Amino acid sequence: MNNNTIKAFHITKRKEDILKLNTSKLYSWHIPKELRDNPIQKGDIVLVDAAGAQSKVLVMDVFREEFEETNRRYKKVIAVIERAPEQKQPVN
């Protein structure tokens, strides 16, 4: 099963590699089918529909939600702006 929902914080400011986040509330968005082929992951920066405008957010969680069970509808993810850097596995 593909993940179809993200939880993310809004990015309020960005200076080089430093992000300033609005952490007052974690928001949710729907991942459309056309963006599920190359899965969105934690740490990615994506463009979303938000309050009548487009906004960049930092993905904190990605999961599958059955809309038929929850009866929740979210605005959608528009595009992936930046992928999170690959995490290297620690050597034991």
Side-chain angles (χ1 to χ4, degrees), residues 11-12 23 26 31 33 35 39 41 48-51 58 60-62 66 72 75 77 79 82 87-88:
I11 298 171
T12 57
T23 57
L26 201 56
I31 304 170
K33 286 185 175 136
L35 291 178
Q41 299 174 1
V48 297
D49 275 332
L58 178 65
M60 302 306 287
D61 195 13
V62 185
E66 298 302 330
R72 290 184 173 170
K75 292 183 180 181
V77 174
E82 189 176 316
Q87 295 293 325
K88 292 182 179 143

Side-chain angles (χ1 to χ4, degrees), residues 23-36:
T23 57
S24 62
K25 186 173 178 191
L26 201 56
Y27 292 93
S28 298
W29 285 273
H30 172 70
I31 304 170
K33 286 185 175 136
E34 59 268 14
L35 291 178
R36 292 185 205 163

Side-chain angles (χ1 to χ4, degrees), residues 64-81:
R64 174 117 192 128
E65 185 171 87
E66 298 302 330
F67 295 114
E68 296 77 21
E69 294 171 15
T70 62
N71 284 327
R72 290 184 173 170
R73 297 280 179 216
Y74 302 117
K75 292 183 180 181
K76 67 180 184 175
V77 174
I78 298 167
V80 176
I81 305 284

Side-chain angles (χ1 to χ4, degrees), residues 13-20 45 82:
K13 199 156 98 176
R14 182 176 186 167
K15 188 174 183 180
E16 295 170 21
D17 284 343
I18 299 169
L19 299 177
K20 182 168 180 174
I45 296 173
E82 189 176 316

